[in-house]
Amino acid sequence: MDRVTSGSSKTIKCSVKKFVDFTCRRGNLESFGTAGPTAAEGQKAHKVLQDKKTNEEEAEVRVECKLLVNAKQNNSEQEHTKQLHLSGRIDLLDANPEAPCASEIKSCYAPPHRLPESTVSLHWAQLKVYGYCVLNKIRTEQATSKVPITLRLVWFNLIANEVITDEQKYTFEELETFVTEAAFHYVEWIALIDEQFSQTVATATTLEFPHQNFRSGQRDMAAAAYLCARDGFHVMCEAPTGIGKTVSALFPAVKAIGNGSIDRIIYLTAKNSGKQAAGSCLSQLQDHGLQISAITITSKNTTCHCSNGTCERNPDDGSCPLTIGFFDKLPAARKQLIRSGIITPETIDNAAHEHALCPFELTLQMLPWVQVVICDFNYVFDPLVRLSNLTENTNRQMLLVDEAHNLTDRARSMYSAELSRVELKRAAADLPKNTLQGKNLQGLIRAIDRWAKDCPQQENAHIEYPKTISRAIKRCVQTMVNDTENLVLTEAVAEAGKALFRYAVIEELYGNHHRCVTVTYSRGKFKNTTVTLQCLNATEQLKKSYKQYRCSVTFSATLRPRHFYHESLGLPDNTTAMSLVSPFDPSQQCTVVCDWVDTRYRAREQSVSPIVSIIEQVYRSRRGNYQVFFPSYVFMESVCDAFQRQYPDIPVIVQQRGTTERQRKEFLDHFTARDATLAFSILGGIFGEGVDYLGEQLVGSIIIGTGLSSISLTQKLIEEDYQSQGLNGFDYASRYPGFTRVLQTAGRVIRSENDKGVVVLVDQRFQQPFYKEHYPAHWNLEYCQNTEALAQRLHGFWRSP
């Protein structure tokens, strides 16, 4: 939101669309509201109707009006006069002062009478404000004019290819009453937000660093973050464990709000632990005097009752009770939450319960009004999930991207889409066969079968995507949206709908860095076909996103080599790269390479016995908790079986496939409840990243292999894509990401100044120049030629003070 200061008064600028969306939205929350016409379809509808305008009409006419509004400041009975400046563009306008007529064009899939009442009333509210702007201008030029204005809501039905018009007349007095009342509520709210923002600026200006001293490297990172916000550039920072990355990014960003460089901070992270760390850091700054508003977005599957299975739906129409009258109850909840300052997931949950509102949607409604948003990558980068509130007015926003090494792979998945024949069959079974939705879904399944039949191999890659499947998907999407009243929305149908919408959107973005991958496989009686629009490189999309923001700090403990991450993360040209040194004493960690073991796929059978011996030697060198990380479940299970047969006296725990949240907690509990846990885990998995093993919780990690991804058709395609750009495809697709997994896993061992532990790298490739070139400077690497040398080195390390 723009704030324009003029003397001692403030002018509040706002678009008509945003104004009515905030003040005039009433009624229920529509759960299927994301499936409307695309922007391209809307533009097409506008062009068709605007091309048919009369000689008296003009298209895309800019209108504006200024209102003086008296509103009370927060916690004050004193009224302050604000000027509200509304502006927008009318789709079609006949500006004849004797008979003015304004038309608003809306595209739709369903007939207008079947659209939600809340949607239609909102469109009318927008048109009424436009009508007021037109009549206000006429009365300014002709003070005695009392002509009414004709307002037309013109619907273009994309399915039926027909135009339906609803027309009403309003006098100036009627529209003035409507706009004035809405303006009062809007300005009163903005006055509250402005007052809170002023308090944030004042307290941020005087805020001091929350710790007595900066750690080594911490001041450098904080200074770089502050300067990039002030001067408008980007920073990529490799900050090893122990630097204190979260506060080093958030503290200077808050100070930048204080000096007027930015208005808002978007803190992105890939893991819940990162969200919790950011929230805790803000609370700490709050304890030191900062007044700021912030919110954490928790995934819809976790918070929304419809997604997590706790929704008590109306048995008659299947509606969620937390969506009924949502926008009528929203203002009270919104005002309660904004006064909370830092809005935690628990705060949202309590307010949602009190006001009977959907907690996830309530979170989204708060986004435009807070100064810090903590959320996952996808809310900024994913084309289907990203939120307009986080991607508009970005020239006053700062991105903080934590654990950025995860973004490359995540971005590929964000720009990919997959259809599964089995999932579609499951959804089709929930739909009556005589309905149009059911028939169209069956038609899509047949289209997939025909496409799979023409594919010569079990795994196939095509440059072009199948047009027959695209047409079938379009029919499915249109009928799902066009007949929501009769749609049976079971869990399977809802999941299929999401997959179809994603496929349709990604298809529009399909380009040179995409391939259509078709896989047909069977296991006994189980058969399935998947059709995937696979993104091989999302760099260009990431570049577009970064360029929208004033500045960003992209940081992680592992961003090496620099050139790889600068390119693969799509960072702008004006990005400053920096690498900080570890604040810990290098003598705290003993890093050993066991280069006599070949763990490559063809040698794995022979590698089992020496790996078992290495594990036993490390475990017995000093009592404590250890983890052994493997590149695959099959390899891990093979070594684990051999180890347990040879050393039945040593208890082990093993990471399970498809680990649930309860199993994850039980697994981690072993590291706090016991002091002699030997755990077998997957390299790059949930126990190798984003987990803080403090003190004696983990004294050693044994890393088997170099972290390379398993060979697959998709991996080969990614490698070929890099190669086509003149880059080393194997390095970019496999070796760099694999080594990042190794570094991340090794980083679990030393987490504080008092930790001491060992990292054992098992693979002959670790002695190659490629890896030697990229080892962290604080690793005093030692190469052991056999198990006896390893045991001797570990014995000496644990004996040293």
Side-chain angles (χ1 to χ4, degrees), residues 232-254:
F233 62 93
H234 301 262
V235 171
M236 181 180 76
C237 179
E238 184 183 56
T241 300
I243 292 290
K245 297 186 289 293
T246 305
V247 70
S248 300
L250 274 172
F251 173 72
V254 167

Side-chain angles (χ1 to χ4, degrees), residues 475-499:
R475 287 191 291 270
C476 288
V477 171
Q478 288 176 347
T479 52
M480 279 185 169
V481 178
N482 192 39
D483 194 17
T484 55
E485 294 178 0
N486 299 315
L487 181 63
V488 180
L489 199 61
T490 64
E491 181 179 352
V493 173
E495 290 303 313
K498 292 176 185 177

Side-chain angles (χ1 to χ4, degrees), residues 19 22-24 84 129 177-187:
F19 172 71
F22 180 83
T23 60
C24 304
L84 177 61
V129 179
T177 299
F178 174 81
V179 173
T180 301
E181 182 180 352
F184 174 80
H185 293 297
Y186 186 76
V187 171

Side-chain angles (χ1 to χ4, degrees), residues 375-665:
C375 59
D376 187 86
F377 294 156
N378 58 355
Y379 292 110
V380 166
F381 297 115
D382 191 306
L384 275 88
V385 183
R386 63 184 169 207
L387 303 171
S388 60
N389 285 319
L390 304 186
T391 55
E392 293 178 352
N393 299 325
T394 48
N395 62 323
R396 299 291 300 168
Q397 296 188 130
M398 181 179 192
L399 274 184
L400 302 178
V401 186
D402 190 9
E403 301 294 346
H405 65 276
N406 289 298
L407 183 54
T408 302
D409 282 342
R410 282 286 304 276
R412 285 196 190 100
S413 66
M414 292 175 195
Y415 284 88
S416 299
E418 179 182 283
L419 292 179
S420 165
R421 185 185 186 277
V422 167
E423 298 303 319
L424 294 175
K425 284 285 287 184
R426 187 174 291 119
D430 289 347
L431 294 171
K433 294 182 179 180
N434 60 341
T435 63
L436 192 56
Q437 292 96 339
K439 291 178 181 177
N440 284 340
L441 203 53
Q442 291 289 355
L444 171 58
I445 293 169
R446 289 193 295 271
I448 292 174
D449 289 341
R450 288 193 296 269
W451 169 254
K453 188 176 181 181
D454 293 336
C455 291
Q457 300 174 11
Q458 184 177 351
E459 294 183 311
N460 303 267
H462 296 82
I463 295 177
E464 300 293 332
Y465 55 82
K467 301 297 190 297
T468 53
I469 291 179
S470 300
R471 289 191 290 269
I473 286 175
K474 188 173 184 179
R475 287 191 291 270
C476 288
V477 171
Q478 288 176 347
T479 52
M480 279 185 169
V481 178
N482 192 39
D483 194 17
T484 55
E485 294 178 0
N486 299 315
L487 181 63
V488 180
L489 199 61
T490 64
E491 181 179 352
V493 173
E495 290 303 313
K498 292 176 185 177
L500 296 177
F501 295 138
R502 174 166 285 277
Y503 191 100
V505 170
I506 298 303
E507 187 182 277
E508 290 186 0
L509 301 172
Y510 195 92
N512 294 332
H513 297 293
H514 279 88
R515 292 293 182 271
C516 180
V517 177
T518 305
V519 179
T520 301
Y521 58 91
S522 59
R523 294 175 184 170
K525 294 183 178 180
F526 179 81
K527 296 181 179 181
N528 193 20
T529 296
T530 59
V531 180
T532 305
L533 303 183
Q534 180 65 53
C535 176
L536 309 176
N537 187 332
T539 299
E540 292 303 317
Q541 286 80 4
L542 292 176
K543 279 183 180 178
K544 293 176 185 177
S545 296
Y546 273 107
K547 286 180 179 179
Q548 292 177 342
Y549 292 85
R550 172 176 173 79
C551 54
S552 69
V553 180
T554 303
F555 55 101
S556 170
T558 50
L559 290 176
R560 60 180 52 207
R562 287 183 183 180
H563 66 85
F564 167 69
Y565 278 105
H566 187 281
E567 294 167 11
S568 64
L569 292 175
L571 294 170
D573 294 336
N574 65 334
T575 298
T576 297
M578 59 190 302
S579 294
L580 305 176
V581 297
S582 173
F584 301 139
D585 187 332
S587 65
Q588 291 178 245
Q589 177 175 307
C590 174
T591 310
V592 182
V593 175
C594 298
D595 57 7
W596 72 86
V597 183
D598 185 356
T599 71
R600 288 175 295 181
Y601 186 78
R602 63 173 178 266
R604 284 187 179 173
E605 188 174 341
Q606 291 75 32
S607 70
V608 171
S609 179
I611 290 174
V612 166
S613 297
I614 289 170
I615 296 171
E616 190 264 345
Q617 286 289 347
V618 174
Y619 182 81
R620 295 198 192 278
S621 66
R622 190 259 198 193
R623 182 181 178 86
N625 296 327
Y626 295 86
Q627 274 194 285
V628 192
F629 293 92
F630 293 84
S632 72
Y633 281 99
V634 173
F635 194 13
M636 177 182 72
E637 291 160 357
S638 175
V639 173
C640 184
D641 289 345
F643 185 88
Q644 289 181 301
R645 286 196 302 271
Q646 192 165 344
Y647 301 105
D649 60 308
I650 300 178
V652 303
I653 58 172
V654 184
Q655 179 179 341
Q656 300 300 311
R657 300 171 189 257
T659 304
T660 64
E661 186 59 34
R662 182 180 61 81
Q663 289 173 327
R664 178 180 182 274
K665 184 180 182 304

Side-chain angles (χ1 to χ4, degrees), residues 224-459:
Y226 181 81
L227 291 175
C228 91
R230 188 192 69 181
D231 300 335
F233 62 93
H234 301 262
V235 171
M236 181 180 76
C237 179
E238 184 183 56
T241 300
I243 292 290
K245 297 186 289 293
T246 305
V247 70
S248 300
L250 274 172
F251 173 72
V254 167
K255 296 294 287 185
I257 292 179
N259 74 16
S261 298
I262 59 172
D263 288 342
R264 188 151 72 153
I265 303 163
I266 312 297
Y267 191 101
L268 304 179
T269 180
K271 302 182 182 298
N272 286 332
S273 57
K275 294 179 190 175
Q276 293 164 1
S280 297
C281 179
L282 284 177
S283 296
Q284 189 177 40
L285 295 177
Q286 188 180 52
D287 292 340
H288 282 73
L290 177 66
Q291 293 186 42
I292 199 165
S293 59
I295 197 166
T296 299
I297 305 179
T298 308
S299 71
K300 187 172 184 177
N301 288 338
T302 302
T303 55
C304 179
H305 292 208
C306 299
S307 299
N308 64 24
T310 60
C311 178
E312 297 180 2
R313 289 184 170 271
N314 186 313
D316 296 326
D317 59 10
S319 60
C320 171
L322 302 184
T323 65
I324 305 303
F326 180 92
F327 292 103
D328 302 320
K329 296 177 286 187
L330 175 62
R334 188 164 48 200
K335 186 172 290 188
Q336 174 183 325
L337 284 172
I338 201 62
R339 287 174 172 150
S340 301
I342 298 176
I343 306 170
T344 65
E346 292 74 25
T347 308
I348 282 284
D349 194 60
N350 291 335
H353 179 75
E354 179 181 343
H355 297 275
L357 296 170
C358 173
F360 181 76
E361 294 295 338
L362 179 57
T363 300
L364 300 187
Q365 291 296 322
M366 296 304 301
L367 293 184
W369 315 113
V370 297
Q371 282 114 38
V372 183
V373 178
I374 303 168
C375 59
D376 187 86
F377 294 156
N378 58 355
Y379 292 110
V380 166
F381 297 115
D382 191 306
L384 275 88
V385 183
R386 63 184 169 207
L387 303 171
S388 60
N389 285 319
L390 304 186
T391 55
E392 293 178 352
N393 299 325
T394 48
N395 62 323
R396 299 291 300 168
Q397 296 188 130
M398 181 179 192
L399 274 184
L400 302 178
V401 186
D402 190 9
E403 301 294 346
H405 65 276
N406 289 298
L407 183 54
T408 302
D409 282 342
R410 282 286 304 276
R412 285 196 190 100
S413 66
M414 292 175 195
Y415 284 88
S416 299
E418 179 182 283
L419 292 179
S420 165
R421 185 185 186 277
V422 167
E423 298 303 319
L424 294 175
K425 284 285 287 184
R426 187 174 291 119
D430 289 347
L431 294 171
K433 294 182 179 180
N434 60 341
T435 63
L436 192 56
Q437 292 96 339
K439 291 178 181 177
N440 284 340
L441 203 53
Q442 291 289 355
L444 171 58
I445 293 169
R446 289 193 295 271
I448 292 174
D449 289 341
R450 288 193 296 269
W451 169 254
K453 188 176 181 181
D454 293 336
C455 291
Q457 300 174 11
Q458 184 177 351
E459 294 183 311

Side-chain angles (χ1 to χ4, degrees), residues 105-165:
I105 300 169
K106 299 295 181 184
S107 57
C108 59
Y109 287 145
H113 71 274
R114 293 172 62 179
L115 292 173
E117 184 180 344
S118 58
T119 300
V120 177
S121 65
L122 194 64
H123 294 330
W124 271 114
Q126 183 178 350
L127 198 45
K128 287 179 183 180
V129 179
Y130 286 149
Y132 172 78
C133 293
V134 173
L135 289 184
N136 186 60
K137 182 180 179 183
I138 292 174
R139 286 170 67 95
T140 300
E141 297 169 352
Q142 302 178 22
T144 60
S145 175
K146 293 188 176 182
V147 297
I149 187 170
T150 300
L151 301 180
R152 289 177 181 159
L153 197 52
V154 184
W155 300 95
F156 187 80
N157 190 323
L158 297 166
I159 305 298
N161 196 32
E162 65 177 356
V163 177
I164 301 170
T165 302

Side-chain angles (χ1 to χ4, degrees), residues 746-790:
R748 299 308 101 197
V749 177
I750 305 298
R751 308 298 292 180
S752 73
E753 295 86 347
N754 301 317
D755 289 356
K756 185 175 182 179
V758 300
V759 173
V760 180
L761 307 178
V762 182
D763 194 290
Q764 63 181 18
R765 288 168 289 184
F766 281 124
Q767 65 175 328
Q768 295 175 355
F770 173 89
Y771 294 100
K772 290 182 177 180
E773 181 183 352
H774 298 116
Y775 287 128
H778 62 278
W779 282 14
N780 294 324
L781 238 68
E782 300 182 51
Y783 294 84
C784 294
Q785 303 303 315
N786 51 52
T787 309
E788 291 74 21
L790 172 65

